[in-house]
Amino acid sequence: MTELLDQPAAEDVEPSPYRLVDCDVHPIMKGGMGDLRPYLSKAAQRRLGLDERRRLTTAGHREAVSIPRNLLYVNQAGVLRDDARAPDGSAPGADPAFTARQLLDGNGIDRAVLIGGEVLGLGALPDPDAAAVIASAYNDWLAQTWLAADDRYRGTLVVGAQDPALAAREIRRAGQDERFVAVLLPLTNILMGERHYYPIYEAAAELGLPVTVHPNSGEGIFRTSPPMAGGTPTYYVEWHTGLSQVFQANVISLVCHGVFERFPNLKVVVTEGGIGWIPDVVWRLDKNVKGLRDEVPWITRLPSEYVADHVRFTTQPLPEPKRRSHLHALLEVARADRTLMFSSDYPHWDFDEPLHVLTALPPATRERVKARNAIETYGDRL
Amino acid sequence: MTELLDQPAAEDVEPSPYRLVDCDVHPIMKGGMGDLRPYLSKAAQRRLGLDERRRLTTAGHREAVSIPRNLLYVNQAGVLRDDARAPDGSAPGADPAFTARQLLDGNGIDRAVLIGGEVLGLGALPDPDAAAVIASAYNDWLAQTWLAADDRYRGTLVVGAQDPALAAREIRRAGQDERFVAVLLPLTNILMGERHYYPIYEAAAELGLPVTVHPNSGEGIFRTSPPMAGGTPTYYVEWHTGLSQVFQANVISLVCHGVFERFPNLKVVVTEGGIGWIPDVVWRLDKNVKGLRDEVPWITRLPSEYVADHVRFTTQPLPEPKRRSHLHALLEVARADRTLMFSSDYPHWDFDEPLHVLTALPPATRERVKARNAIETYGDRL
């Protein structure tokens, strides 16, 4: 790894202050939802079933509240790396210091963007006030535990999109802490182009924070629509293969609704959504918008240009075709030299070694993927 | 066009008995559902509201029954080519003789595979018996009108997948007519890997008929799930861009359920579903099945090999990237030299000129796309 990182950058690439930026690291809560107690009012603790005085309990769980998780599709191998467990025996990925040593020191990572593990499914929670309260407490917990533990950590502040006004307020509140470099939008069953989200985009663009989406395991599952088009998949392997469809749909929606015309400063980061689908979506969009422009007259540029200017992607999972030339053709279409950022997805089961990913990329693209594209996306806060 | 067709085939390609085979042509019914009357029992006519003695009517419609169509997303340009209208003023694509002159003579097409226009949405009809009755009558209508009108026409017999046993019976009945070369499966909201469909696959494989799927404009719309993952799209341009997701999902489902292990002779033709998504799906599937094979132990080969051996695609709509090298990389990954067949989608609005499509392909692939792959897919019946 060190050798690769120490290679001089290609001539046309501006030198980066960081060797490697990891754009998708998941902090895990050691004690589950109970860890949020210090960041919640007494009333909120009572509302969420987290107060100590409660006599009734949910058998087997310490808390009455839980954030929706995907319990329909089970990865029998487990989804967390067991070797990411700190010596104290806490859950994998739950110890900021151990993660700093194993992931950051071990791989020469200078900045790691944290994306909440437990709150990914927050968009499936039916109660908008509960979602907002949990989001605020989670952001405070992240700032006072992980962000305080190591200067290399940066945070993604989470919002409950169920109430866009409350979400915008939370962005303006938590975003005052400049260690937060992005906003995590846990998806609901409303596509991202819809007006529902505009207060969130307005606040994020105002603070210069990209809006991040990530597979949340709750996409549609709890809200009547299946997680793939055409029907309900049976197996985890189907769900995991098809999960990129949610991101395809949301990019189509963002472009067609003219969101990037309305919010010219907005950036969207598609984390862990793959990149193999980008050609299909941008080619179809470019062609269709030419033929059907009267329906969406606010689209003044080619959709592929909006995507190149406003949407960013992360490497994990990187496609692994048999021929490297096919990967490189994909990277050209996806304009990876501008749009792609390194991510490990630590401590998840499908974690990517930086060396593994970076050697697959052409040298000039590799340099930008390592850090430069992340610096341009997250700006000075990084 | 003639020049291109008259070029000698590349040396390694077996000469084809046909110059060009069009795998996606839509016959339109001149008089709407009423055209099926001669092919329905009196009881069925009464059940479908097609009997003459009926006193009540649905204002503005001649028939009480209709096959679900997409009325949510409107292509304001119209979906049928106005120049496909015969001199008698009937609907575009409704006159077999005019279509033979305009499409077949005009483009040097030796075989055209007909895929029912009005019955594409049959999978959304709630009543399984009504769907089965309509399918049978439609197949008889197609045989006695279009297939009788020109020797170059071949038919796709339609089934109502709502009752798989009735569908299998219809395949064995209508399939006796060797001018039918495939089975049209109008999609429901059950993914194609599910056991629900196995009687249909068994009958189709027994007769050597590929199972064809096609965008049906009813996918999910009438059965609670949206036509894209992640939410309900707003605009026609979104729906039309995202419609490939239904085919992505169904190919994932077919492979993961081991359908091609269970039915080794089964072929599936994805018509008008695009090909730009193939790399994303086969790369993700190959990778995921390696990591999660215990969940689907019946998968004994790489998913990309099942797709190459069992799934076929048609050209319209062919991706139109700025650089032809990107299209050619896609064609390699999609193994287009084996899997891709020419289609015009006549008389739909996004009809492709054969010349336009064929010149975009590398010469050796072009030769196979023109006719050879269709001959291998549809067999002697073609």
Side-chain angles (χ1 to χ4, degrees):
Chain A
M1 187 59 224
T2 314
E3 273 177 49
L4 186 67
L5 290 172
D6 290 347
Q7 279 173 12
E11 281 183 42
D12 58 340
V13 177
E14 191 186 340
S16 159
Y18 307 129
R19 291 170 296 173
L20 191 58
V21 178
D22 187 339
C23 298
D24 187 18
V25 175
H26 299 297
I28 305 293
M29 291 194 283
K30 273 189 186 176
M33 291 287 290
D35 286 2
L36 297 186
R37 216 173 270 121
Y39 310 98
L40 290 163
S41 69
K42 284 286 171 202
Q45 288 183 41
R46 217 159 30 237
R47 164 68 186 83
L48 298 174
L50 292 171
D51 56 321
E52 301 290 1
R53 295 167 310 162
R54 179 171 286 264
R55 296 292 180 94
L56 297 169
T57 188
T58 307
H61 299 284
R62 284 181 305 177
E63 304 92 16
V65 72
S66 69
I67 294 173
R69 285 190 304 134
N70 179 356
L71 298 173
L72 293 178
Y73 301 105
V74 176
N75 181 337
Q76 63 210 332
V79 297
L80 293 178
R81 287 172 49 168
D82 210 44
D83 71 340
R85 205 182 281 281
D88 68 358
S90 56
D95 187 306
F98 181 80
T99 297
R101 281 199 304 281
Q102 185 179 53
L103 177 68
L104 308 188
D105 297 347
N107 294 285
I109 292 169
D110 291 321
R111 288 288 180 272
V113 179
L114 304 174
I115 298 178
E118 288 85 354
V119 289
L120 292 171
L122 195 63
L125 205 64
D127 178 343
D129 292 307
V133 163
I134 290 170
S136 289
Y138 189 87
N139 294 333
D140 291 343
W141 169 83
L142 193 65
Q144 294 184 36
T145 55
W146 283 73
L147 297 184
D150 196 297
D151 282 347
R152 293 169 289 183
Y153 290 134
R154 292 292 179 272
T156 306
L157 71 90
V158 66
V159 296
Q162 290 88 332
D163 183 329
L166 289 180
R169 199 162 77 187
E170 176 62 12
I171 291 170
R172 293 190 175 97
R173 182 193 74 86
Q176 296 308 314
D177 182 339
E178 299 227 331
R179 297 172 301 176
F180 284 110
V181 298
V183 174
L184 173 63
L185 184 70
L187 295 171
T188 69
N189 63 338
I190 302 172
L191 288 167
M192 287 178 73
E194 302 248 12
R195 284 158 218 209
H196 176 84
Y197 296 107
Y198 293 1
I200 295 174
Y201 300 153
E202 186 178 20
E206 179 187 308
L207 272 73
L209 299 172
V211 170
T212 297
V213 290
H214 187 286
N216 61 31
S217 292
E219 41 280 286
I221 293 174
F222 300 89
R223 292 190 169 222
T224 75
S225 59
M228 287 203 310
T232 301
T234 309
Y235 303 111
Y236 181 93
V237 63
E238 290 178 274
W239 167 75
H240 195 273
T241 303
L243 65 78
S244 75
Q245 294 187 8
V246 169
F247 303 101
Q248 299 173 39
N250 278 302
V251 168
I252 293 168
S253 175
L254 283 163
V255 169
C256 291
H257 281 259
V259 167
F260 300 120
E261 286 289 334
R262 206 184 272 255
F263 303 101
N265 298 325
L266 184 68
K267 288 216 174 77
V268 170
V269 180
V270 175
T271 318
E272 203 178 325
I275 61 170
W277 49 270
I278 297 173
D280 189 46
V281 167
V282 300
W283 291 340
R284 288 182 80 96
L285 268 180
D286 281 356
K287 187 175 184 171
N288 277 342
V289 163
K290 282 180 199 162
L292 298 160
R293 69 177 76 239
D294 287 351
E295 193 185 26
V296 282
W298 43 82
I299 296 187
T300 59
R301 306 167 62 198
L302 273 180
S304 55
E305 291 172 15
Y306 289 117
V307 173
D309 284 352
H310 294 275
V311 187
R312 296 294 173 261
F313 307 93
T314 59
T315 52
Q316 196 283 326
L318 198 73
E320 298 178 19
K322 288 188 198 107
R323 290 200 214 162
R324 192 149 285 179
S325 66
H326 292 154
L327 175 64
H328 291 187
L330 166 63
L331 294 170
E332 281 180 20
V333 179
R335 302 173 75 163
D337 60 321
R338 300 171 61 185
T339 63
L340 189 63
M341 310 190 293
F342 170 73
S343 68
S344 71
D345 195 27
Y346 180 96
H348 282 178
W349 69 295
D350 41 0
F351 171 86
D352 270 348
E353 294 284 349
L355 187 65
H356 166 78
V357 173
L358 294 170
T359 51
L361 305 176
T365 302
R366 180 192 304 151
E367 286 310 307
R368 296 193 54 91
V369 167
K370 280 161 59 180
R372 174 58 53 193
N373 287 341
I375 292 167
E376 291 176 6
T377 300
Y378 295 109
D380 293 339
R381 289 179 175 226
L382 192 72
Chain B
M1 187 59 221
T2 314
E3 273 177 48
L4 187 66
L5 291 171
D6 291 345
Q7 281 174 12
E11 282 181 42
D12 58 339
V13 178
E14 192 185 342
S16 159
Y18 308 130
R19 291 170 296 173
L20 191 58
V21 178
D22 187 340
C23 298
D24 188 17
V25 176
H26 299 297
I28 305 294
M29 291 195 283
K30 273 190 185 174
M33 291 287 288
D35 286 3
L36 297 186
R37 216 173 270 121
Y39 311 98
L40 291 164
S41 69
K42 284 286 171 202
Q45 287 184 41
R46 217 160 28 240
R47 164 69 185 83
L48 298 175
L50 291 173
D51 56 320
E52 300 291 359
R53 294 168 310 163
R54 181 170 284 264
R55 296 293 180 93
L56 298 169
T57 187
T58 309
H61 298 284
R62 284 180 306 176
E63 305 93 14
V65 72
S66 68
I67 296 174
R69 286 189 304 133
N70 179 354
L71 298 172
L72 293 178
Y73 302 106
V74 177
N75 181 337
Q76 62 210 333
V79 296
L80 295 177
R81 284 173 50 169
D82 210 44
D83 72 339
R85 205 182 281 281
D88 69 358
S90 56
D95 187 306
F98 181 80
T99 297
R101 280 198 305 282
Q102 186 178 51
L103 177 68
L104 308 189
D105 297 347
N107 294 285
I109 292 169
D110 291 321
R111 288 289 180 270
V113 179
L114 304 174
I115 298 178
E118 289 84 354
V119 288
L120 292 170
L122 195 63
L125 206 64
D127 179 344
D129 292 307
V133 163
I134 290 170
S136 290
Y138 189 87
N139 293 333
D140 291 342
W141 169 82
L142 193 66
Q144 294 184 36
T145 55
W146 283 73
L147 298 184
D150 196 296
D151 281 347
R152 292 169 291 183
Y153 290 134
R154 291 293 179 270
T156 306
L157 71 89
V158 66
V159 296
Q162 290 88 334
D163 183 331
L166 289 181
R169 200 162 78 187
E170 176 62 13
I171 291 170
R172 294 191 174 95
R173 183 195 73 85
Q176 297 308 314
D177 182 339
E178 298 227 332
R179 296 173 301 176
F180 284 110
V181 299
V183 174
L184 173 63
L185 184 71
L187 295 171
T188 68
N189 63 337
I190 302 172
L191 287 168
M192 288 179 73
E194 302 248 10
R195 284 157 218 209
H196 176 84
Y197 296 107
Y198 293 1
I200 296 174
Y201 300 154
E202 187 178 20
E206 179 187 307
L207 273 73
L209 299 173
V211 169
T212 297
V213 290
H214 187 286
N216 62 29
S217 291
E219 43 278 285
I221 293 175
F222 299 90
R223 292 189 168 224
T224 74
S225 59
M228 289 202 310
T232 302
T234 309
Y235 303 111
Y236 182 94
V237 63
E238 289 178 275
W239 167 76
H240 196 272
T241 303
L243 65 78
S244 75
Q245 293 187 7
V246 170
F247 303 100
Q248 299 174 41
N250 278 302
V251 167
I252 292 168
S253 175
L254 283 163
V255 169
C256 292
H257 282 259
V259 167
F260 300 120
E261 286 288 335
R262 205 183 274 254
F263 303 101
N265 298 325
L266 184 69
K267 288 216 173 78
V268 170
V269 180
V270 175
T271 318
E272 203 178 325
I275 61 170
W277 50 270
I278 297 173
D280 188 46
V281 166
V282 300
W283 291 340
R284 289 181 80 96
L285 268 180
D286 281 356
K287 187 174 184 172
N288 278 341
V289 163
K290 282 179 199 163
L292 299 160
R293 68 177 77 240
D294 288 350
E295 193 186 26
V296 282
W298 43 83
I299 296 186
T300 60
R301 305 168 62 199
L302 273 181
S304 55
E305 291 171 16
Y306 289 117
V307 174
D309 283 353
H310 293 276
V311 187
R312 296 294 173 261
F313 307 93
T314 59
T315 53
Q316 196 283 326
L318 197 73
E320 298 178 19
K322 287 190 199 105
R323 289 198 214 164
R324 193 150 284 181
S325 67
H326 292 154
L327 176 64
H328 290 187
L330 166 63
L331 294 170
E332 280 181 20
V333 178
R335 302 174 74 164
D337 59 321
R338 300 172 59 185
T339 63
L340 189 63
M341 311 189 292
F342 170 73
S343 68
S344 70
D345 195 26
Y346 180 97
H348 283 177
W349 69 293
D350 40 2
F351 171 86
D352 270 348
E353 294 284 349
L355 187 65
H356 166 79
V357 173
L358 294 170
T359 51
L361 306 175
T365 302
R366 181 192 305 151
E367 286 310 307
R368 295 193 55 91
V369 168
K370 278 161 59 180
R372 174 57 55 193
N373 287 341
I375 292 167
E376 291 176 5
T377 300
Y378 296 109
D380 293 339
R381 290 180 175 226
L382 192 72

